[in-house]
Amino acid sequence: MTSLSDNLHTVQTRIATACVACDRHPDSVKLLAVSKTFSADDVRAVATCGQRDFGENYIQEGVDKIVALRADPHVPALVWHCIGPIQSNKTKLVAEHFDWVHTIDRLKIAQRLNDQRPVHLPPLQVCLQVNIDGGGTKSGVAPADVLTLALDVAKLPRLSLRGLMTIPDPADGFEAQVAVHNKARALFDEMKVVLNLPQFDTLSMGMTSDLEAAIHAGSTMVRVGTAIFGGRTYSV
């Protein structure tokens, strides 16, 4: 059985290899370790190997880990990303505990996060989730509407608009994966020009199965869970 440290190293190697293949520097892509359903002990083990950014889909589960690990003097400071859907009754928890949010797709949630972000914390770093391939059952703002949302979010003082996040449906083969990720990259590039925000620098796309294609298309942050922590068991 491979260890978590071996898994992490394998993913880091995949990222570096993918970057070299498309003439990018490996440091241009950040690895976000997705720790949903795994324990604080698992996160601690990966953190001791040097990983600092962790993503959580389930808010209360994530908050429990954040609180436990921040109280542990043996765990270095970690950066916590909320990468799951956010309901209105959970915005306060997110605003108080997380450093990043990747899943803003409507102004109401952004406004609540802004209003509930504690004044002693730095602005919440946020990405807008875009339904880039038009999946009918997926979250995310339509590509045609994302600029309007971005302009509104950029006005909120307790949020810092960092970029876009996508979760396209699985595509068959590398070229098909690259094609859908290229749509997100083109949208990101267009918005960067219009918004003219120096901090608008993050394109969060790519997971275990398609991180190479996402990097080829220009991803700056890949969200990897299974390849690091292993397969997940969900309670019924």
Side-chain angles (χ1 to χ4, degrees), residues 154-167:
K155 298 174 184 176
L156 299 174
R158 301 297 296 145
L159 304 184
S160 179
L161 180 59
R162 295 297 301 270
L164 304 179
M165 184 271 256
T166 63
I167 312 176

Side-chain angles (χ1 to χ4, degrees), residues 80-98:
W80 292 94
H81 301 243
C82 178
I83 59 173
I86 304 173
Q87 302 300 322
S88 295
N89 63 346
K90 297 292 186 180
T91 53
K92 190 170 188 292
L93 278 175
V94 174
E96 291 177 344
H97 293 280
F98 284 86

Side-chain angles (χ1 to χ4, degrees), residues 8-29 31 211-212 215 222:
L8 179 64
H9 178 71
T10 297
V11 172
Q12 291 169 335
T13 300
R14 285 178 63 187
I15 292 170
T17 301
C19 287
V20 170
C22 56
D23 296 320
R24 296 182 61 188
H25 194 283
D27 289 345
S28 67
V29 179
L31 171 60
L211 70 85
E212 286 85 1
I215 290 170
V222 291

